[in-house]
């Protein structure tokens, strides 16, 4: 069937199991880092760089003295905090990756919602930025939004602290759109605060967000301190670019392959065959650390009915990121500039609506320049081509009810047919979720192959990241 080289041996020359990892995002890197020294690893990456949503790009701009300076900026993964990213912070500490404090301020531009048909602009940093447009001090609609924010935080905090289960009749499975209507929240709250905030978090259109179950929003926002006024967690970024942790992990994986898409995975009683262009290789196990739809495509007709049901239930939203220095996309009032700047769709926008965000990287990362450096996700306004540094395509999972239910099916699939799955889509879609999924897949594989005793007991357990051995 294949005119390609074919390795029959199972287990490497060292006697350790051979493990293939598909995908070099955070999940694949976490699995590789955990399995290094325990298995012979091959890391397959279909793209032209390692890291997945960790994508640091070099930019050259004049510094404060006017001298050209080159520095790294992140266009995907950007921030973490001490409360809800314990594994990621532990990984960075273990690898010696420097972090710096970051700003998680948030602004909204709503075309046509301001005075005389202009754009409404506000930011949540402080009272001055909330009322960046001073006319909103006497705008009853704006005050209605602020009142609803307070009420929303109170209601959702109570839901989160109640800790209800996710049984079929649980109110936490109610779609967000129905929840907002039932609770009587205003259109101003929905359009000028809630949907922009959700858009910043999950990078998907408003019609998709309104179908999310309440549980997805409540649990994430509560854990991340987004529905409380005080005691919010401090956010951090990787000083100099997040590719630093990628490079440090890759240093321990000699067999890593860029531009090597896996075409097919064939499974039998003895193990796995991985098919790439012109090559078929034998492995003892595989970690599919890619998006669920990609895993399903690779498995093809060989996917079990259970795998097809679970992997096929998670949808993805494509998003285009443009890295540039055109500050005209930011709010007109600089008082309203924030780290995350949401721009609502114009009433005259054409085509399917997409979430539009402008990340002001100077607020998010310590940069050696004053010129605004921006990543615009699905920009609606024309960006000056002379300011564009690069364009990148990403895909973000859509956490509707079908996806939440699919997550509950995944534990039963792990390890079957020598196959483990990992990805941020198995949690909330964020870096900590991807890391945890990779750690859990590696831990399960370690147990299945009896590799734990090779770690020399308690000393290795103490050196491991949280969650690897329980």
């Amino acid at each position: 069937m294949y005119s390609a080289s074919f390795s029959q041996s199972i287990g490497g020359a060292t006697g350790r199991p051979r493990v293939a990892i598909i995908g070099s995002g955070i999940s694949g890197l976490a699995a590789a880092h955990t399995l290094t020294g325990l298995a012979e690893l091959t890391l397959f990456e279909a793209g032209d760089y390692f890291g997945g949503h960790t994508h640091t790009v070099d930019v050259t701009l004049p510094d404060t003295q006017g001298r050209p300076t080159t520095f790294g900026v992140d266009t995907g993964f950007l921030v973490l905090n001490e409360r809800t990213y314990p594994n990621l912070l532990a990984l960075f500490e273990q690898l010696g990756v420097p972090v710096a404090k970051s700003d998680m301020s948030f602004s909204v531009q709503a075309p046509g919602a301001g005075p005389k048909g202009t754009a409404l602009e506000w930011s949540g940093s402080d009272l001055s930025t909330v009322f960046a447009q001073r006319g909103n001090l006497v705008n009853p609609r704006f005050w209605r939004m602020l009142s609803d924010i307070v009420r929303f935080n109170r209601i959702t905090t109570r839901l989160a602290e109640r800790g209800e289960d996710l049984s079929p009749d649980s109110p936490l499975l109610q779609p967000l759109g129905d929840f907002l209507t039932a609770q009587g929240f205003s259109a101003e709250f929905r359009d000028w605060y809630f949907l922009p905030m959700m858009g910043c978090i999950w990078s998907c259109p408003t019609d998709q967000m309104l179908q999310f179950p309440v549980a997805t929003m409540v649990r994430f926002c509560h854990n991340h301190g987004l529905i409380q006024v005080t005691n919010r967690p401090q956010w951090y970024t990787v000083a100099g670019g997040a590719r630093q942790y990628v490079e440090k992990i890759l240093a321990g994986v000699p067999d890593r392959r860029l531009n090597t898409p896996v075409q097919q995975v064939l499974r039998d009683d003895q193990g796995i065959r991985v098919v790439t262009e012109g090559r078929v290789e034998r492995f003892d196990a595989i970690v599919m650390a890619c998006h669920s739809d990609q895993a399903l495509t690779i498995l093809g007709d060989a996917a079990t009915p259970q795998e097809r049901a679970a992997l096929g239930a998670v949808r993805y939203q494509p998003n285009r990121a443009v890295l540039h220095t055109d500050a005209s996309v930011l709010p007109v009032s600089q008082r309203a500039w924030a780290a995350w700047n949401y721009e609502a769709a114009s009433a005259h926008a054409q085509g399917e609506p997409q979430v539009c965000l402008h990340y002001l990287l100077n607020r998010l990362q310590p940069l050696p320049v004053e010129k605004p450096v921006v990543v615009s996700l699905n920009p609606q306004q024309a960006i000056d081509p002379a300011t564009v540094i690069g364009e990148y395509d990403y895909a973000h999972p859509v956490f509707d009810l079908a996806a939440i239910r699919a997550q509950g099916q995944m534990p039963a699939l792990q390890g079957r047919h020598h196959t483990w799955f990992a990805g941020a889509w198995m949690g909330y879609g964020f870096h900590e979720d991807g890391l945890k999924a990779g750690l859990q897949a590696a831990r399960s594989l370690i147990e299945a192959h009896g590799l734990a005793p090779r770690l020399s007991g308690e000393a290795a357990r103490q050196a491991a990241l949280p969650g690897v051995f329980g």
Side-chain angles (χ1 to χ4, degrees), residues 319-395:
N319 291 300
R320 179 173 67 100
V322 181
L323 175 64
H324 63 93
T325 58
D326 186 353
S328 69
V329 301
L330 298 173
V332 173
S333 172
Q334 288 198 24
R335 280 195 300 264
W337 286 15
W340 302 50
N341 302 273
Y342 175 92
E343 182 181 356
S346 166
H348 307 292
Q350 300 295 315
E352 184 178 351
Q354 289 183 299
V355 66
C356 176
L357 304 171
H358 306 291
Y359 302 92
L360 182 54
L361 298 184
N362 309 64
R363 296 279 185 95
L364 287 158
Q365 298 187 291
L367 303 185
V369 298
E370 294 180 351
K371 189 177 186 66
V373 182
V374 181
V375 170
S376 291
L377 199 68
N378 306 318
Q380 299 186 78
Q381 306 176 42
I383 295 173
D384 181 357
T387 70
V388 174
I389 299 167
E391 298 190 31
Y392 318 99
D393 292 318
Y394 299 110

Side-chain angles (χ1 to χ4, degrees), residues 457-469:
E458 188 60 29
R461 289 175 181 269
Q462 292 177 357
L465 294 177
V468 176
F469 298 109

Side-chain angles (χ1 to χ4, degrees), residues 445-454:
L445 196 154
I446 286 170
E447 293 172 349
H449 284 265
L451 304 180
R454 302 185 188 185

Side-chain angles (χ1 to χ4, degrees), residues 217-242:
M217 179 273 297
V218 167
R219 291 184 173 184
F220 179 85
C221 292
H222 178 70
N223 290 342
H224 285 72
L226 299 178
I227 52 177
Q228 60 194 74
V229 177
T230 61
N231 195 30
R232 292 191 172 188
Q234 173 65 55
W235 289 84
Y236 297 92
T237 188
V238 179

Side-chain angles (χ1 to χ4, degrees), residues 179-449:
F179 170 78
L180 295 180
T181 300
Q183 296 294 332
F185 286 107
S186 64
E188 292 84 0
F189 168 83
R190 183 193 64 214
D191 297 335
W192 300 350
Y193 172 75
F194 181 75
L195 291 178
M197 181 185 71
M198 296 289 285
C200 285
I201 294 172
W202 277 290
S203 304
C204 68
T206 56
D207 59 336
Q208 293 180 1
M209 288 185 282
L210 291 173
Q211 295 305 311
F212 282 17
V214 174
T216 301
M217 179 273 297
V218 167
R219 291 184 173 184
F220 179 85
C221 292
H222 178 70
N223 290 342
H224 285 72
L226 299 178
I227 52 177
Q228 60 194 74
V229 177
T230 61
N231 195 30
R232 292 191 172 188
Q234 173 65 55
W235 289 84
Y236 297 92
T237 188
V238 179
R243 65 181 168 201
Q244 294 176 77
Y245 89 80
V246 176
E247 293 167 349
K248 288 176 180 289
I249 291 177
L250 290 175
V253 187
D255 189 4
R256 52 187 189 269
R257 307 180 191 178
L258 273 182
N259 300 303
T260 310
V262 173
Q263 299 172 346
Q264 194 174 9
V265 166
L266 305 171
R267 302 176 291 186
D268 54 39
D269 291 342
Q270 284 70 48
I272 301 287
R273 284 174 288 168
V274 173
V275 181
T276 55
E277 186 175 358
R279 194 170 184 178
V280 181
E281 296 171 88
R282 270 282 190 185
F283 293 90
D284 296 282
I286 190 166
V287 178
M288 304 195 77
C290 49
H291 288 174
S292 53
D293 58 345
Q294 296 169 334
L296 192 56
T297 297
I298 291 170
L299 291 174
D301 293 340
T304 67
Q306 294 81 5
E307 288 169 338
R308 281 196 291 271
L311 300 176
V314 183
R315 298 183 295 123
Y316 292 83
Q317 171 63 39
N319 291 300
R320 179 173 67 100
V322 181
L323 175 64
H324 63 93
T325 58
D326 186 353
S328 69
V329 301
L330 298 173
V332 173
S333 172
Q334 288 198 24
R335 280 195 300 264
W337 286 15
W340 302 50
N341 302 273
Y342 175 92
E343 182 181 356
S346 166
H348 307 292
Q350 300 295 315
E352 184 178 351
Q354 289 183 299
V355 66
C356 176
L357 304 171
H358 306 291
Y359 302 92
L360 182 54
L361 298 184
N362 309 64
R363 296 279 185 95
L364 287 158
Q365 298 187 291
L367 303 185
V369 298
E370 294 180 351
K371 189 177 186 66
V373 182
V374 181
V375 170
S376 291
L377 199 68
N378 306 318
Q380 299 186 78
Q381 306 176 42
I383 295 173
D384 181 357
T387 70
V388 174
I389 299 167
E391 298 190 31
Y392 318 99
D393 292 318
Y394 299 110
H396 295 86
V398 176
F399 290 97
D400 54 17
L401 184 55
I404 300 301
R405 286 174 171 162
Q407 291 174 351
Q409 300 169 27
M410 292 309 300
L413 301 180
Q414 298 290 42
R416 291 191 175 187
H417 309 290
H418 321 286
T419 305
W420 282 261
F421 300 94
W425 55 271
M426 297 168 69
Y428 293 109
F430 296 91
H431 234 57
E432 179 75 4
D433 301 301
L435 176 56
K436 286 167 63 177
L439 292 174
Q440 289 165 358
R443 178 178 63 186
S444 177
L445 196 154
I446 286 170
E447 293 172 349
H449 284 265

